[in-house]
Every structure is written in C-alpha cells, then in structure tokens.
Amino acid sequence: MAEQAATDLRATYTEASGLRSIASDFSSDRQAFRNVSWGKAMMWIFLLSDTFVFSCFLISYMTARMSTTVPWPNTSEVFALTIGGTSLPLILIAIMTFVLISSSGTMAMAVNFGYRRDRKKTAILMLVTALLGATFVGMQAFEWTKLIHEGVRPWANPWGAAQFGSSFFMITGFHGTHVTFGVIFLLVIARKVWRGDFDHERRGFFTSRKGRYESVEIMGLYWHFVDLVWVFIFAFFYLW
C-alpha cells in the first residue's frame, strides 16, 4: 500500500514537472525575442494568421474546382486581351505580376536605405512602391470591370462552372484589399520618413524611437507578404 502511494506521488510529481517544463518553454520568449520589438513580433503574428486565411481561400477554390462536374472556364481565354486584333492570353495578369514583383524590389531597397538613415532615398523608394501598388490595384479594377461587363457574377458566368465567379471575386478581392491598405500605409510611413519624424523623434502615428527606421522594415514585411501571396494566386488560379 505504501509502495503504491509512493509510486502515485512520483507520477504526480513527474507530471507536475512536465507541466512546469512546458510553461518554462513558453515563457522563454523573453530570451528568444529579447531583441525583437513588439511591432515586428505583432506583424509576424498577423502575417501568420493571414497565411491561414489565404490558405483556406485557395484550398476552398481548389476543392470547388476539382469537385464540380461542370467544365471549369479556360483562364487563358477568360483573361485574354485583344490588342491590335490579336488575342493575348493572360497579358494583363502577366503585367500585374511584373509590377507587383518590381514593387517588392523597390521596397527592399527602401528598407536598406532606411537603416542607412538616408531619408530622401527611403521616402522616394517607398513612394515608388506605393505607385506600383496603386498601378496594380488600378489594373485589377480594370480586370474586374471587364469581367463584370462580360457577365461574370459570383453566382454565374458565361463560360462554365458557376463557382468560378465567386472564387475569383473572393480571392482577388481579398488580396486587392490588402494591396490597397498597403499603399495607404506606405504613403503614411513615407511622409513620416520625408519629414524626418524618425530622426527627430516627433510624436505621432507609427512614430518609432529616435533614429529607428524599424517601421519601414515592418511595412516591408507586410508588402513582401502581399507579393508572395500573389505568386500563389497567379500560379493556382490563373495558370492552373
């Protein structure tokens, strides 16, 4: 009886030690993230959650496409543009992709010059990035308008499976919203950089500590994520 009690006590202690070990592992973030600001850590958490959302959208689209018995519309024909009497498949989508990938390069250079504390080059590159992002949104608006005029609706379209319209508007609309918000915040941060808010520690929205251009890097994390998501949308929705 006494041996059984001792065995139960040791098992309880071992379990408690295991729980304390787990709690210790979770509390170790003070060491793991000692040099990471709250802004950057929260952006990574946001991007992780957004990854799950976009993944759900793409998986839902692929499930609908593979399960429907009605033929799926041919994207090369749906997204073709007629230029000079010649139908060019996916030409607009290719240009949109080039513009967005180029904006990722200008954003990377902006972050680089930001940590060099070169205000003018950082601000100019961020404005160029915002301009490229706005161009992308404008071309996406043109694409939406064209398809709506051709009869594409969330519940129907002239070419095949009815799920095509809902998948298209849901995925591209959600991504376009991300790009639009990104352009707005790029303009906000670029204005602060141009005014020297990060050099003079001027108080205000998104103003960091003096001499810290971390907000530019955080904005870059968001923008690169938006560009990366578009690569998956381009591959799975337009090319598949």
Side-chain angles (χ1 to χ4, degrees):
M1 195 68 149
E3 292 180 358
Q4 182 64 33
T7 302
D8 294 342
L9 182 61
R10 282 195 298 270
T12 303
Y13 178 77
T14 302
E15 182 179 356
S17 299
L19 293 175
R20 281 196 294 269
S21 177
I22 294 174
S24 177
D25 289 340
F26 274 104
S27 64
S28 67
D29 61 349
R30 181 182 177 277
Q31 300 294 329
F33 298 102
R34 173 176 290 180
N35 297 321
V36 178
S37 68
W38 278 108
K40 190 182 294 184
M42 292 302 102
M43 177 55 74
W44 276 114
I45 293 173
F46 168 75
L47 296 182
L48 180 62
S49 64
D50 229 19
T51 299
F52 288 120
V53 175
F54 276 108
S55 298
C56 289
F57 281 174
L58 287 174
I59 292 173
S60 299
Y61 148 72
M62 288 186 285
T63 301
R65 178 167 180 172
M66 290 185 292
S67 61
T68 181
T69 57
V70 181
W72 196 262
N74 187 343
T75 54
S76 296
E77 297 176 0
V78 174
F79 299 105
L81 283 181
T82 302
I83 301 176
T86 304
S87 179
L88 300 175
L90 298 174
I91 183 63
L92 179 63
I93 311 304
I95 296 173
M96 291 168 62
T97 303
F98 175 78
V99 168
L100 203 59
I101 297 301
S102 298
S103 72
S104 190
T106 57
M107 188 69 238
M109 289 190 290
V111 174
N112 185 21
F113 282 112
Y115 277 106
R116 295 182 186 182
R117 299 185 183 182
D118 191 329
R119 289 195 298 112
K120 289 186 177 180
K121 289 183 180 178
T122 302
I124 290 173
L125 285 167
M126 292 188 75
L127 291 174
V128 171
T129 305
L131 177 61
L132 291 172
T135 302
F136 175 87
V137 174
M139 288 189 289
Q140 193 170 65
F142 171 79
E143 177 190 36
W144 274 44
T145 304
K146 174 179 175 292
L147 293 182
I148 290 173
H149 285 168
E150 291 175 352
V152 179
R153 299 292 186 270
W155 55 87
N157 68 86
W159 301 289
Q163 297 93 327
F164 173 82
S166 58
S167 299
F168 169 76
F169 289 120
M170 177 183 66
I171 294 174
T172 61
F174 193 64
H175 179 265
T177 302
H178 278 69
V179 177
T180 302
F181 279 112
V183 169
I184 294 173
F185 283 111
L186 277 169
L187 295 175
V188 172
I189 301 299
R191 179 173 178 267
K192 285 184 169 295
V193 171
W194 186 267
R195 293 193 311 178
D197 289 8
F198 299 108
D199 293 321
H200 307 301
E201 203 174 3
R202 181 180 298 172
R203 291 185 176 274
F205 195 49
F206 288 137
T207 301
S208 183
R209 288 175 291 176
K210 185 176 181 179
R212 295 290 297 274
Y213 282 76
E214 194 173 60
S215 293
V216 178
E217 182 183 2
I218 293 172
M219 188 65 241
L221 290 175
Y222 176 85
W223 195 256
H224 293 318
F225 170 79
V226 169
D227 293 353
L228 180 61
V229 168
W230 176 255
V231 172
F232 284 95
I233 295 174
F234 178 71
F236 286 105
F237 192 88
Y238 292 100
L239 295 183
W240 182 22

